[in-house]
Amino acid sequence: MAADSPRSTPLPPPPTPLKFAPPKGFHAELRARAAEHFARAGRPPRGGFRMYLDALVVAGWAAGSYLALVFLAGAWWQVTLAALSLACAVAAIGFKIQHDGGHGAFSERRWVNRLTAMALDAIGGSSYVWRFKHNILHHSYTNLAGVDDDIDLGVLGRLSPSHRHLWFHRFQHLYIWPLYTTVALKWQLVDDFVRVARGRIGPQRFPRPRGWDLVGLIGGKTFALSLALLVPALFHPLWIVLVVYLATMMTIGFLLAVVFQLAHSVREAEHPELPPDVDRIESEWAVHQVQTTVDFARANPVLTWLLGGLNFQVVHHLFPRVSHVHYPALARIVEEVSARHGVRYVAHRSFLGAVASHFLFLREMGRGPSIAS
Ligand SMILES: [Zn+2]
């Protein structure tokens, strides 16, 4: 059961013949309770004033930071502050605007979802490639090695008991943090191009972009790199532009990587191991999503706002087409229904608690194949 896509391009065939166990009522009850909640609250599951207001605030934050960085900042500390602010704002565009848009969850209007999904192109990533990598592979087959590309760090890291163990992984809980700073740079400059050239995301095939999809990809990369390098270079020495670009992108990469990892690559999340000859996953799809995803810092409204609700990823995985402003309310329903069905729902109380769990998970995975989650 793949997450819905707001796009009209035909979806590729299922990436693998993997099937989930037949539903036993867990998902049906969740959907019924969520529908009840929306009917009682009198609010639509998508869109609404708060989504638009949040998007305006974040876009203004990013634009203000960019203008301050390029045209106002003079002293080194002003440059540092403006670049840090820009990095956080760009990450927030991803968390609060693009992610909802890409899932068709920003608005009831298709064109608004399309436009907000393209916020990713404007900040340097391809919304086309993301649709396959995130919407389909990650959301359908969460934490399944070889299919979910989000847990594939190549030889550099072992994020699943199914991944090959190499001797240096025993230090991954130490060396992985600086590597996270390369995520956005690599994504912007290398990964999208390599995936399109190969027609694959990891081992999974996907259709190469054509027509307007290709124009969007090339236009987005050109626009983002022009804003990041060309425009500043008209006003400042090139070496300063490059240093600030690298530092800003490294901060963005670190923020994105850490937030992604805290939902799935923690000790409490399951990483099902599937023998090569087995094509059926033990759990039904909705149960699999709860088992492989962990929430954190649910009671922290500032973090919830900044992350666009991505500290409530269990709800997001169960209801990918619902706007993030509803996650806190739906999380209570998910917790209740999970308890009734004997499905283990886990939430870390704090952000640091989740970070600690990610650290310990990396250390356990780095020790070798015998340590499964
Ligand atoms: Zn998502």
Side-chain angles (χ1 to χ4, degrees):
M1 188 178 304
D4 294 333
S5 160
R7 300 279 300 272
S8 54
T9 314
L11 297 178
T16 76
L18 287 176
K19 289 185 181 71
F20 288 93
K24 289 186 184 142
F26 177 62
H27 199 197
E29 185 172 339
L30 280 171
R31 288 162 73 111
R33 290 285 305 277
E36 219 173 77
H37 162 78
F38 287 120
R40 209 178 321 117
R43 296 177 68 187
R46 281 179 284 279
F49 174 71
R50 258 194 67 191
M51 290 300 288
Y52 288 98
L53 181 67
D54 274 15
L56 272 179
V57 169
V58 171
W61 174 18
S65 305
Y66 179 81
L67 293 175
L69 179 61
V70 178
F71 299 108
L72 296 177
W76 68 268
W77 62 269
Q78 292 171 334
V79 174
T80 307
L81 279 182
L84 189 63
S85 174
L86 179 61
C88 294
V90 168
I93 287 177
F95 297 146
K96 291 175 70 72
I97 302 176
Q98 174 268 331
H99 188 233
D100 283 81
H103 278 291
F106 190 95
S107 165
E108 297 288 350
R109 295 184 174 85
R110 198 182 177 87
W111 69 267
V112 176
N113 288 323
R114 179 82 180 92
L115 195 70
T116 47
M118 286 183 71
L120 182 60
D121 297 284
I123 59 175
S126 161
S127 60
Y128 178 85
V129 177
W130 186 90
R131 183 160 64 99
F132 296 98
K133 173 180 159 58
H134 182 89
N135 254 7
I136 298 172
L137 297 179
H138 171 63
H139 269 273
S140 305
Y141 303 110
T142 313
N143 275 5
L144 289 172
V147 194
D148 180 0
D149 192 64
D150 279 17
I151 60 165
D152 186 1
L153 300 183
V155 295
L156 293 175
R158 183 170 186 258
L159 294 184
S160 163
S162 306
H163 286 159
R164 189 159 59 113
H165 181 255
L166 298 167
W167 66 269
F168 54 82
H169 290 155
R170 74 184 56 182
F171 307 111
Q172 66 175 6
H173 58 295
L174 303 173
Y175 71 67
I176 212 114
W177 305 93
L179 282 183
Y180 285 160
T181 62
T182 66
V183 163
L185 272 169
K186 198 165 147 288
W187 185 356
Q188 186 176 66
L189 301 176
V190 182
D191 289 349
D192 283 335
F193 295 110
V194 170
R195 286 172 183 140
V196 168
R198 292 179 63 226
R200 284 176 187 273
I201 296 170
Q204 305 296 329
R205 284 179 183 281
F206 80 111
R208 291 189 180 90
R210 284 184 300 175
W212 283 112
D213 287 326
L214 187 60
V215 171
L217 189 149
I218 294 169
K221 294 282 181 193
T222 309
F223 176 80
L225 288 170
S226 299
L227 270 190
L229 297 169
L230 202 65
V231 174
L234 296 175
F235 302 93
H236 303 284
L238 190 59
W239 73 269
I240 292 183
V241 172
L242 285 174
V243 168
V244 174
Y245 167 72
L246 286 177
T248 309
M249 291 300 288
M250 287 168 75
T251 311
I252 295 169
F254 188 78
L255 293 172
L256 296 181
V258 169
V259 170
F260 293 151
Q261 298 296 46
L262 299 189
H264 305 292
S265 293
V266 287
R267 299 179 84 198
E268 297 76 11
E270 290 189 16
H271 298 76
E273 292 178 81
L274 274 188
D277 53 335
V278 171
D279 67 352
R280 185 173 285 272
I281 297 156
E282 231 174 77
S283 315
E284 67 171 275
W285 176 83
V287 171
H288 177 86
Q289 299 303 321
V290 180
Q291 287 170 334
T292 54
T293 312
V294 170
D295 288 348
F296 60 90
R298 288 178 19 168
N300 185 333
V302 177
L303 201 67
T304 300
W305 188 87
L306 285 169
L307 300 186
L310 289 179
N311 48 333
F312 289 88
Q313 286 240 31
V314 178
V315 175
H316 170 57
H317 271 256
L318 290 166
F319 299 100
R321 297 203 66 193
V322 167
S323 292
H324 71 255
V325 291
H326 300 298
Y327 293 173
L330 292 181
R332 290 189 283 276
I333 292 173
V334 170
E335 190 172 9
E336 223 179 283
V337 176
S338 297
R340 275 176 30 76
H341 284 256
V343 177
R344 194 183 63 141
Y345 165 87
V346 183
H348 286 287
R349 286 171 69 92
S350 68
F351 173 75
L352 284 180
V355 171
S357 180
H358 178 51
F359 177 88
L360 294 172
F361 171 75
L362 288 170
R363 198 173 63 173
E364 286 176 8
M365 285 296 116
R367 280 181 185 154
S370 59
I371 300 162
S373 56

